[in-house]
């Protein structure tokens, strides 16, 4: 099974499985292909993170979210050069991450794995409405940089819906990697081209930064926590995925399934749990090579009890406020329509095979089209990872040489234990084929993830609640209405505005507003709450894939 944000990328993975490859071959082929069909969201000059489960049940994580070059110093940057231009990129990690996955666990040749992406770049891809809108929103990031404008624009404008975007430079680069091997990106002619171009244009990444990067990647054990009979495994710091685990541990003491799904009580409870977990993550998570991250304390029973007590206090206070307003017959606060905001540039994909091998990857350029920089005629778009760092002296996320950025990317693997809730009774007699039917003997039961900047842990927790507490199948768990706190880089914390999709019932939103929540209503299907993909592994050996309709998402099985 393969699930990604675009059917052409998903098909690239399926081609690997049909050729006799395994889940890692499929995931890497999909990951490279998605950079061709979603160039605004990820690229071979981007960064990422992965969770891998082996057939025997062991789970490993791999962080390839890049590092600041050795010349990086906060005093060299401004807020603008952090975000756009040749100083904004961190050392790109995607190629090193794919190489590690494929080199250790893939079964097909490198040429086979890269072939679908090369074909897509060379022959061209049909531009969809979604593609056009993403480029239109980011066109101002591209136009100052002639090489990027030549690569992604047509006579200075975005390619229109139905037109064909060809990327011959990227096709040639991928052919070079296919013939010379992954290392050429870091220590061969491609690496030299990247370093020379950035050096000529005022960037910081050198040949040495690129050469030493692949050896810095280390397999790491996942961070784990239990939730209602499942063991959840996800990525350690500098990923802030611990926020997902904290949120769910807080909620485990509450009977969430007894609440009206997406009702006011449910939204208030889950939103407060998410807000407190977000605050802990924002305060404590950074690169553990530079900062002591107290993971044990964050997931300890003592800390979770404190957070549960605070959640109860906040929920009760909100309900009391609503009761007072009702008694005084006060009108509920206005529910505003959310304004436009920059869309961050991330994608997520999942792949699994019948042996039990499974991997999901979240990879990104950062902002739309990353730093705006494309390396000459190579088609390599560069990330703007430094945007997610700070220039504040002494701050845990301050830019420093060889430092990894904190990232909200949170791919999760869930393992079904023997205990846990039984399958619910459904009034319509419909078998939901949700986690009640997933493997419950210690095997992998589901994998899930999403893009969405600092909404990632918020969306991931909601999708898992939909799966486990409300027994939704994987597609419904992903497609269900979602919300998130309005929270981005540099925004003051704690977050105060709750952004909700338009599919929530108006009486629910009015009830939330009456409780004192500031509500901004998004469109019915909003990218601001992510674009999840996932797979459920059933007890009978079948898999079910789900992909997000908020994007061009598509899941396919073989």
């Amino acid at each position: 099974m393969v699930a990604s944000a675009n059917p052409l990328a998903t098909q690239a993975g399926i081609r690997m499985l049909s050729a006799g490859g395994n889940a890692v071959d499929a995931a890497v082929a999909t990951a490279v292909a998605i950079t061709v069909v979603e160039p605004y969201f990820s690229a071979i000059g981007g960064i990422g993170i992965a969770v891998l489960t082996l057939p025997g049940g062991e789970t490993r994580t791999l962080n390839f979210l890049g590092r600041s070059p050795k010349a990086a110093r906060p005093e060299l940057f401004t807020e603008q050069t952090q975000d756009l231009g040749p100083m904004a990129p961190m050392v790109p990690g995607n190629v090193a991450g794919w190489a590690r996955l494929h080199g250790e666990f893939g079964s097909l040749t490198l040429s086979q794995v890269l072939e679908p992406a090369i074909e897509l770049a060379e022959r061209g891809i049909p531009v969809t409405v979604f593609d056009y809108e993403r480029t239109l929103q980011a066109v101002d990031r591209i136009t100052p940089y002639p090489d990027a404008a030549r690569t992604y624009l047509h006579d200075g404008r975005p390619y229109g819906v139905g037109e064909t975007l060809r990327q011959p430079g990227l096709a040639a680069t991928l052919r070079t990697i296919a013939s010379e091997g992954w290392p050429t990106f870091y220590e061969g002619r491609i690496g030299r081209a990247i370093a020379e171009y950035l050096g000529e244009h005022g960037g910081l990444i050198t040949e040495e930064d690129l050469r030493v990067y692949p050896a810095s990647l280390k397999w790491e054990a996942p961070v784990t926590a239990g939730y209602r009979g499942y063991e959840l495994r996800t990525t350690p710091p500098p990923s802030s995925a611990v926020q997902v685990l904290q949120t769910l541990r807080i909620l485990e003491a509450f009977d969430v399934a007894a609440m009206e799904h997406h009702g006011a009580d449910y939204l208030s409870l889950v939103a407060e749990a998410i807000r407190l977990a977000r605050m802990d993550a924002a305060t404590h998570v950074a690169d553990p090579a530079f900062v002591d991250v107290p993971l044990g304390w964050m997931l300890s029973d003592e800390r979770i009890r404190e957070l549960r007590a605070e959640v109860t206090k906040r929920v009760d206070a909100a309900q009391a406020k609503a009761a007072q307003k009702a008694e005084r017959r006060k009108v509920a606060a206005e529910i505003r329509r959310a304004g436009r905001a920059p869309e961050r540039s991330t994608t997520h994909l999942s792949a699994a095979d019948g042996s039990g091998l499974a991997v999901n990857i979240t990879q990104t350029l950062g902002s739309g089209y990353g730093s705006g920089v494309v390396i000459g005629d190579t088609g390599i778009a560069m990330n703007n990872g430094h945007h997610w760092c700070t220039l504040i002296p002494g701050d845990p996320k301050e830019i420093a040489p060889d430092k990894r950025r904190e990232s909200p990317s949170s791919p999760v693997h869930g393992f079904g234990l023997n205990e846990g809730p039984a399958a619910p009774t459904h009034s319509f007699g419909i078998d939901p084929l949700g986690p009640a039917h997933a493997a419950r003997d210690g095997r992998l039961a589901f994998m899930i993830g999403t893009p969405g900047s600092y909404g990632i842990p918020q969306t991931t927790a909601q999708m898992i609640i939909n799966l486990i507490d409300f027994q939704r199948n994987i597609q419904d768990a992903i497609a269900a209405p979602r919300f998130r706190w309005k929270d981005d880089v540099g925004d003051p914390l704690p977050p105060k505005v709750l952004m909700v999709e338009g599919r929530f019932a108006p009486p629910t939103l009015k009830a939330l507003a009456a409780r004192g929540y500031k509500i901004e209503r998004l469109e019915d299907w909003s990218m601001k709450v992510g674009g999840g993909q996932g797979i459920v592994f059933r007890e009978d050996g079948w898999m079910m894939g789900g992909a997000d309709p908020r994007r061009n998402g598509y899941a396919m099985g073989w």
Side-chain angles (χ1 to χ4, degrees), residues 136-148:
L136 186 64
Q137 289 178 4
V139 71
D140 290 343
R141 300 181 66 84
I142 304 171
T143 48
Y145 304 98
D147 293 316

Side-chain angles (χ1 to χ4, degrees), residues 116-129:
I118 292 170
E119 290 178 0
L120 289 167
E122 205 162 56
R123 297 177 183 176
I125 57 169
V127 174
T128 68
V129 173

Side-chain angles (χ1 to χ4, degrees), residues 47-49 62-67 90-91 93 213 217 238-239 362 364 404-407 409:
I47 53 183
I49 199 164
L62 188 65
N63 184 316
F64 43 99
L65 284 166
R67 291 177 183 267
M90 286 183 153
V91 178
Y213 180 77
L217 299 190
S239 161
T362 305
T364 185
R404 296 179 294 174
R405 54 162 283 197
E406 176 267 337
S407 169
S409 297

Side-chain angles (χ1 to χ4, degrees), residues 289-300:
F290 290 77
V291 176
D292 181 22
V293 182
L295 276 183
W297 170 78
M298 292 175 75
L299 292 172
S300 68

Side-chain angles (χ1 to χ4, degrees), residues 180-225:
E180 299 181 6
W182 296 110
T184 190
F185 188 88
Y186 292 97
E187 54 189 61
R189 54 178 169 149
I190 295 176
R192 289 192 296 274
I194 293 171
E196 288 173 5
Y197 184 94
L198 292 176
E200 291 170 1
H201 292 80
L204 301 177
I205 295 173
T206 65
E207 286 188 53
E208 178 67 6
D209 290 318
L210 290 162
R211 186 185 66 80
V212 302
Y213 180 77
S216 72
L217 299 190
K218 307 293 182 188
W219 290 108
E220 296 179 275
V223 181
T224 65

